[in-house]
Amino acid sequence: CAYRIKTIYESLFSTMTDRFDCYYCRDNLHGKKYVKKDEKHVCTKCFDKLCANTCAECKRPIGADAKELHHKNRYWHEDCFRCAKCYKPLASEPFSARDDGKIMCGKCGSREDGNRCQGCYKVVMPGSQNVEYKNKVWHEECFTCFECKQPIRTQSFLTKGDDIYCSPCHDKKFAKKCFHCKQPISSGGISYQDQPWHSECFVCHTCRKTLAGARFTSHENKVYCVDCFKTDVAKKCHGCKNPITGFGHGTNVVNYEGYSWHEYCFNCKKCCLSLANKRFVINGDHIHCPDCAKKL
């Protein structure tokens, strides 16, 4: 028990007799406020004079009793850490640090550094409705058709040079016009005799069947499918009585005094000799070579 008391006494004596001084002024710090700076104990007076960081805004020391904020090796008093544009306190707010050293709130930073609208040249704020096209940005209401000036929004659009057009205005101004209905051809279409047509407008004159991708022929500036041409337009061969269409085998035609023949039907009735490009004799509804005609 005596040993225990001795031990306590020696401990107390040691504590009271050891010095606890400021590193700079050597004032005793027992019972006083102090700051530990780089493993050194410093009184508040010496800290403010010798160790305190300088506020980046007001250029005054940030004392031991002040609240300090720091960002990328720069320091501020809490009250000095404000937006350089609107002076809003930023101690507990989002902020951005510009290359020139200025600190800005999110709103002012966006206005200062944000993308500018290609229509009105004002800043496009983050989160606002906008349109991006080819690394450029517009406010949604500024992304308008060059012709009608209406916002394009979610519509499809086309470009001509640097100008942007809604589909109706682009078709009206630049698209080819259908030879039949005179309306713009926005997509697809076919060409016939160097004239553009809508696929749905290029139809048989008689049955109105579409002729896109089908065999057809023309007569007196009208187009016909093969069946209608055979039935309604084509001349009948005076020999076989079938239509002369010009399709397939035997496309050449022989005409004589209002009658027509397939070239392969223009033969001597008696000996079947082909008389195309040869002398022949008409006998009633039949044709003959000169030799057979003499015999008859």
Side-chain angles (χ1 to χ4, degrees):
C1 184
Y3 174 78
R4 180 177 178 81
I5 292 172
K6 182 180 178 181
T7 304
I8 295 174
Y9 175 78
E10 288 178 349
S11 177
L12 287 171
F13 180 79
S14 175
T15 302
M16 295 296 293
T17 57
D18 285 349
R19 293 193 61 82
F20 185 52
D21 299 338
C22 171
Y23 178 79
Y24 294 103
C25 69
R26 313 310 297 178
D27 280 352
N28 193 310
L29 298 177
H30 280 297
K32 297 179 182 179
K33 293 177 64 176
Y34 68 91
V35 179
K36 191 173 183 180
K37 176 75 172 178
D38 299 330
E39 300 300 323
K40 301 178 182 70
H41 300 93
V42 185
C43 68
T44 56
K45 184 177 179 180
C46 289
F47 179 86
D48 292 349
K49 184 178 180 179
L50 302 173
C51 302
N53 294 311
T54 301
C55 177
E57 180 63 25
C58 69
K59 310 305 179 186
R60 292 161 58 188
I62 304 173
D65 295 329
K67 289 185 178 181
E68 179 184 89
L69 289 88
H70 65 91
H71 175 70
K72 292 185 177 179
N73 298 321
R74 299 173 69 208
Y75 302 87
W76 292 263
H77 292 103
E78 183 181 36
D79 292 340
C80 292
F81 194 67
R82 296 172 176 269
C83 174
K85 200 79 174 176
C86 67
Y87 304 108
K88 176 183 178 181
L90 299 177
S92 58
E93 298 289 336
F95 67 90
S96 61
R98 291 170 50 81
D99 292 339
D100 58 7
K102 292 181 180 179
I103 301 296
M104 291 190 179
C105 64
K107 188 173 182 179
C108 291
S110 297
R111 287 176 176 168
E112 197 75 13
D113 300 325
N115 293 322
R116 294 194 174 271
C117 172
Q118 296 298 305
C120 67
Y121 301 105
K122 295 180 181 179
V123 173
V124 179
M125 297 298 293
S128 63
Q129 295 291 327
N130 62 78
V131 178
E132 293 186 20
Y133 176 66
K134 288 189 174 179
N135 298 320
K136 296 180 180 179
V137 64
W138 290 258
H139 293 111
E140 187 179 50
E141 63 274 13
C142 294
F143 193 67
T144 59
C145 172
F146 183 79
E147 187 73 10
C148 67
K149 310 303 180 186
Q150 294 300 308
I152 293 176
R153 301 188 190 280
T154 58
Q155 301 178 62
S156 60
F157 64 91
L158 299 99
T159 59
K160 194 74 172 180
D162 292 332
D163 300 326
I164 298 168
Y165 296 85
C166 63
S167 293
C169 287
H170 184 274
D171 290 348
K172 183 178 180 181
K173 192 174 183 68
F174 301 109
K176 294 180 178 180
K177 303 293 192 299
C178 174
F179 182 73
H180 175 72
C181 69
K182 312 305 180 187
Q183 296 301 310
I185 301 174
S186 58
S187 63
I190 61 174
S191 178
Y192 174 64
Q193 292 185 343
D194 296 327
Q195 298 291 348
W197 298 66
H198 288 116
S199 297
E200 59 271 22
C201 290
F202 195 67
V203 297
C204 173
H205 180 72
T206 300
C207 69
R208 314 308 297 173
K209 180 176 68 176
T210 180
L211 298 177
R215 297 175 68 194
F216 67 91
T217 189
S218 64
H219 178 70
E220 296 180 351
N221 294 324
K222 297 181 179 67
V223 289
Y224 298 86
C225 66
V226 173
D227 292 337
C228 290
F229 182 79
K230 288 179 179 179
T231 304
D232 303 331
V233 180
K235 294 180 178 179
K236 302 299 187 290
C237 175
H238 195 61
C240 67
K241 310 303 181 186
N242 290 320
I244 302 174
T245 63
F247 301 114
H249 171 66
T251 57
N252 293 332
V253 180
V254 177
N255 294 300
Y256 179 74
E257 291 188 354
Y259 295 105
S260 299
W261 290 260
H262 295 109
E263 186 179 81
Y264 57 82
C265 291
F266 196 66
N267 303 322
C268 174
K269 179 66 176 177
K270 185 73 175 175
C271 68
C272 297
L273 176 70
S274 175
L275 298 177
N277 300 314
K278 296 178 181 178
R279 296 179 63 190
F280 60 91
V281 176
I282 293 287
N283 184 16
D285 289 336
H286 304 298
I287 55 175
H288 301 273
C289 63
D291 292 338
C292 290
K294 291 178 181 178
K295 293 176 182 179
L296 292 173

